[in-house]
Amino acid sequence: MRTDYCGELRGEDSGRTVSLCGWVSRRREHGEHLAFIDLRDHTGIVQVVVDHAHDIRSEYVLRVTGKVRMRPEGTRNPNLPTGDVEVCDCEVETLSRAEPPPFPLDERLETDENIRLKYRYVDLRRERMQRNLRVRAKVNSAIRRSMEQQGFVEIETPMLIANTPEGARDFVVPSRLKPGSFYALPQSPQLFKQLCMVGGVDRYYQIARCLRDEDLRADRQFEFTQLDAEASFVSQVDVREFITNAVASATEAVTGQRPAEFPSITWHDAMERYGTDKPDIRFGLELIELTGLFAHTEFKVFQADCVKGIRVPGGADHTRKQLDALTEKVKLWGAKGLVWLKVEEDLSLNSPITKFLSDAETENLLGAMDAEAGDLLLIVADRRATARHVLGLLRLELGRPPVAEGGLHFLWVVDFPLFEDLDEEGLPVPAHHPFTMPKEEDLALLDSEGKGLLEIRAQAYDLVLNGWELGSGSVRVHRPDIQQKVFDAWGIARPDAEQRFGFLLDAFGYGAPPHAGFAFGIDRLVAILVGEENIREVIAFPKTQTGGDPLTEAPMEIAPDHLTDLGLRLLPHKS
RNA sequence: GGUCCCGUGGUGCAGUUUGGAGUGCACGCCGCCCUGUCAAGGCGGAGGUCGCGGGUUCAAAUCCCGUCGGGACCGCCA
């Protein structure tokens, strides 16, 4: 049907007779018998010279057969890769007529996303979406190649699985053959990949669709895609190397440049210096520890579990209004308040709280924060977890560059704790799933209670890129005695564990190899590689923030008969 | 569960603060003119439930309440 792609014709093709297929991108009409058509396919556009007598409109699908020739001197278009040539003496076949598009396909204009999604099939024709989808395919392909080279075997795992009450909310599918029973859709293939290890697969991987029924965000969809991997008889260092190789290969396939070795930071340092377990290290504004400095202060606000601050270079030009707005935000995020201090030209401090600080405290504060004239100092005093969290958010608010700027800064975060914190009832809040292996030297701490549990470090690690959590992994528990202790620490009673994970524990009774694994989000990796703020831009058919699809109008009600088949009856709607 | 922003011809915006006739800009669309344009150009034209509902008012795109849709974030995402 066609001999060439539109965007690939060059001067060398001059003289050839070609057949092209594509959409009418733009037309320029000059009188009765001359019109220029920009014909577009996924490779780009080329100018076609036709008789204006043809009825040709925007987005008509054409097959054009004609002769490639150099454009007349002075009419070449240097802005177009195909700008030296045009196709003339054309026979034009209209393969499809088209309504005028519901929005301009022009890249210069932003269009309301709801409309783009409703007409996604039109939106996908745009250069941006074509590029994003093709980059994504390249990433998948590079990942597969890398994993295969490293001895991993691609295995598919089931989509209809047992519901596990832990973690995120499961999507659920009613069973027709067993009314009243439900399958869950997988949040990840976690348990199955561990079963593969028991099954002697040695090295498993899968580009896996995962589903979690949690509120959507710019970097979160109900459905997302992960590289999921697991390997036997390996250390966490080995796993990080496998994953680094795969991610570096994917990055290289897109950017042409293989990233340097990924640095690593401990979870503890990340929390203290960046206030988050996924630091964006493209910029400074690190958190500065001040607790010791105010250990004996008279100032009540600073008599807190933790006092930390950030220095905003040149930030003293913030207005009172802006500072009040920041204070409001900080309160919404959970802090009691925000202390701000402006550093004046003479290095004195301009702040509502200066009168509560001793001269020595002021001097020490300036020194600890490396303060210079014109800086803004922001300080939060609170519970340590709160102070870190709030300052971490504040840091992003004040300094985070746009996604496409600042380069690619991969970072391994290692030595995650087994438990991140204690909740209001004093129960430990797990940092990972309950099959995460503690560090050998911390195993004894499994017998402790309360705060002691927080000291346990896990053999768990996250991969972070520019402040986005790409993924996480861990060495898994493969010994039943340690597993039992971990369940005890979690507060999972033995019968519960039996009911929820019995099949895995049984499997481990039949010869489980030591194993470790990882999973990372391909949507997020691709979004950052193409410079998109939102993963919807790298997903062909995404959902809106309320989980709907404007194109197909999912989710929708189903027929009463269908419900009856499934043994279901609906409750009345909440009014 | 919560905070904030947006909703005006097909598209993107201005108009909303300070109520006074659906007012304006750009693109697109339709028709005519036009043989070297490329974001073509010129002339003319069509196209509106100002998201929806209620309230205040002599009068509401504009003020108030509610609601729907979209977006960003907090919570949530072991």
Side-chain angles (χ1 to χ4, degrees):
Chain A
M1 201 164 191
R2 72 183 157 196
T3 60
D4 291 80
Y5 291 119
C6 300
E8 293 178 348
L9 294 179
R10 295 292 182 274
E12 304 90 271
D13 297 302
S14 175
R16 291 180 52 220
T17 296
V18 296
S19 290
L20 306 172
C21 294
W23 285 260
V24 175
S25 185
R26 219 170 215 109
R27 66 214 144 93
R28 295 171 290 280
E29 296 163 348
H30 290 256
E32 210 175 341
H33 291 294
L34 177 67
F36 300 103
I37 303 293
D38 287 338
L39 195 66
R40 182 191 66 238
D41 63 19
H42 66 276
T43 62
I45 62 176
V46 68
Q47 174 164 289
V48 176
V49 187
V50 300
D51 191 314
H52 187 188
H54 288 102
D55 179 35
I56 294 173
R57 311 271 161 154
S58 284
E59 300 306 312
Y60 273 28
V61 185
L62 306 183
R63 176 168 182 262
V64 171
T65 302
K67 204 167 192 177
V68 182
R69 73 169 178 212
M70 299 305 289
R71 292 196 191 182
E73 208 56 53
T75 67
R76 297 188 183 164
N77 185 346
N79 302 318
L80 222 53
T82 61
D84 286 344
V85 297
E86 62 190 6
V87 180
C88 61
D89 300 330
C90 290
E91 187 185 316
V92 177
E93 189 183 342
T94 301
L95 302 174
S96 275
R97 292 167 183 276
E99 298 293 322
F103 53 87
L105 273 70
D106 205 297
E107 295 294 334
R108 288 185 312 269
L109 293 172
E110 276 298 317
T111 299
D112 181 81
E113 209 185 337
N114 206 28
I115 297 169
R116 289 176 56 206
L117 292 182
K118 184 169 176 186
Y119 300 95
R120 190 60 151 179
Y121 41 84
V122 174
D123 190 43
L124 292 179
R125 287 180 206 156
R126 296 161 72 223
E127 188 187 342
R128 173 191 195 177
M129 294 306 297
Q130 288 287 325
R131 178 199 66 206
N132 291 356
L133 294 181
R134 282 161 208 278
V135 164
R136 186 176 177 128
K138 229 179 224 181
V139 163
N140 278 347
S141 164
I143 286 171
R144 285 213 164 88
R145 213 174 313 123
S146 173
M147 294 308 282
E148 275 161 27
Q149 276 169 6
Q150 298 184 92
F152 285 77
V153 181
E154 183 171 4
I155 294 176
E156 289 156 276
T157 52
M159 294 300 289
L160 297 171
I161 66 174
N163 167 256
T164 52
E166 292 304 316
R169 219 171 281 116
D170 278 337
F171 276 101
V172 133
V173 178
S175 162
R176 175 179 55 87
L177 296 178
K178 198 176 167 190
S181 290
F182 296 83
Y183 300 97
L185 300 176
Q187 295 180 27
S188 80
Q190 182 62 35
L191 299 173
F192 289 97
K193 67 177 173 179
Q194 292 191 248
L195 293 173
C196 284
M197 295 301 100
V198 181
V201 167
D202 198 62
R203 290 182 183 183
Y204 144 97
Y205 87 99
Q206 180 180 192
I207 292 182
R209 310 299 311 280
C210 306
L211 297 106
R212 293 179 191 172
D213 188 3
E214 296 292 346
D215 289 358
L216 296 87
R217 286 280 201 289
D219 63 349
R220 267 162 40 191
Q221 287 265 307
F222 285 156
E223 311 170 67
F224 57 100
T225 307
Q226 292 200 324
L227 168 70
D228 192 52
E230 194 80 12
S232 297
F233 311 112
V234 297
S235 69
Q236 64 161 303
V237 175
D238 298 323
V239 174
R240 291 210 300 265
E241 197 177 312
F242 296 142
I243 299 300
T244 300
N245 285 336
V247 171
S249 298
T251 303
E252 187 179 10
V254 175
T255 65
Q257 226 176 356
R258 197 169 182 86
E261 194 164 333
F262 304 169
S264 63
I265 185 173
T266 65
W267 178 87
H268 180 267
D269 284 354
M271 295 305 287
E272 294 299 333
R273 288 168 55 192
Y274 300 99
T276 175
D277 59 5
K278 45 178 180 175
D280 188 340
I281 55 172
R282 287 177 299 166
F283 65 104
L285 294 181
E286 287 190 29
L287 281 51
I288 299 162
E289 183 64 43
L290 302 168
T291 313
L293 218 148
F294 294 107
H296 305 292
T297 186
E298 298 286 312
F299 182 35
K300 284 233 165 54
V301 170
F302 284 176
Q303 293 167 2
D305 176 36
C306 170
V307 183
K308 283 177 104 71
I310 54 184
R311 176 177 79 96
V312 187
D317 57 359
H318 278 70
T319 62
R320 184 58 189 258
K321 200 175 165 187
Q322 289 173 310
L323 292 168
D324 286 347
L326 279 182
T327 305
E328 278 312 303
K329 271 192 179 153
V330 156
K331 285 180 178 168
L332 281 173
W333 291 334
K336 291 187 196 74
L338 179 69
V339 170
W340 56 262
L341 310 100
K342 293 179 177 179
V343 184
E344 302 287 345
E345 283 307 315
D346 60 358
L347 292 186
S348 68
L349 289 174
N350 169 1
S351 165
I353 67 134
T354 43
K355 56 179 175 285
F356 301 111
L357 299 182
S358 70
D359 290 350
E361 282 171 342
T362 302
E363 193 176 324
N364 290 340
L365 176 64
L366 288 170
M369 299 193 80
D370 288 323
E372 291 176 15
D375 288 352
L376 174 67
L377 309 180
L378 298 171
I379 300 176
V380 172
D382 219 301
R383 274 189 75 223
R384 179 157 295 271
T386 306
R388 290 192 306 210
H389 173 64
V390 166
L391 283 168
L393 291 174
L394 197 57
R395 173 177 176 268
L396 294 177
E397 177 85 15
L398 293 170
R400 190 173 200 176
V403 67
E405 290 173 17
L408 300 172
H409 288 262
F410 292 95
L411 179 68
W412 283 107
V413 180
V414 302
D415 290 356
F416 267 67
L418 203 57
F419 302 106
E420 273 191 29
D421 204 353
L422 302 176
D423 67 16
E424 292 90 12
E425 293 163 29
L427 297 170
V429 179
H432 279 275
H433 57 68
F435 314 108
T436 303
M437 182 69 179
K439 289 193 117 178
E440 296 288 341
E441 57 264 41
D442 293 349
L443 278 175
L445 292 165
L446 277 172
D447 295 321
S448 52
E449 281 179 10
K451 287 207 162 180
L453 291 172
L454 300 183
E455 301 295 312
I456 306 172
R457 287 164 302 166
Q459 299 191 51
Y461 33 90
D462 274 14
L463 180 59
V464 174
L465 171 56
N466 293 2
W468 293 36
E469 183 195 322
L470 278 192
S472 62
S474 63
V475 175
R476 325 297 185 187
V477 180
H478 72 284
R479 275 170 46 191
D481 56 326
I482 297 176
Q483 186 67 68
Q484 190 53 55
K485 286 191 162 190
V486 172
F487 281 150
D488 289 346
W490 269 58
I492 301 176
R494 192 179 295 247
D496 283 352
E498 273 302 320
Q499 201 206 327
R500 269 140 67 171
F501 314 116
F503 61 91
L504 184 70
L505 303 179
D506 286 350
F508 282 6
Y510 288 95
H515 58 287
F518 198 81
F520 75 82
I522 289 176
D523 312 87
R524 290 180 183 177
L525 175 61
V526 174
I528 293 172
L529 288 178
V530 298
E532 294 284 5
E533 305 272 358
N534 195 302
I535 64 170
R536 288 190 297 270
E537 301 295 349
V538 301
I539 297 172
F541 299 101
K543 303 280 187 287
T544 66
Q545 196 166 61
T546 46
D549 175 7
L551 171 56
T552 62
E553 296 187 314
M556 51 173 53
E557 295 176 2
I558 62 171
D561 287 1
H562 199 164
L563 285 175
T564 308
D565 263 2
L566 298 167
L568 297 177
R569 196 167 60 219
L570 295 181
L571 292 171
H573 285 285
K574 272 190 268 179
S575 58

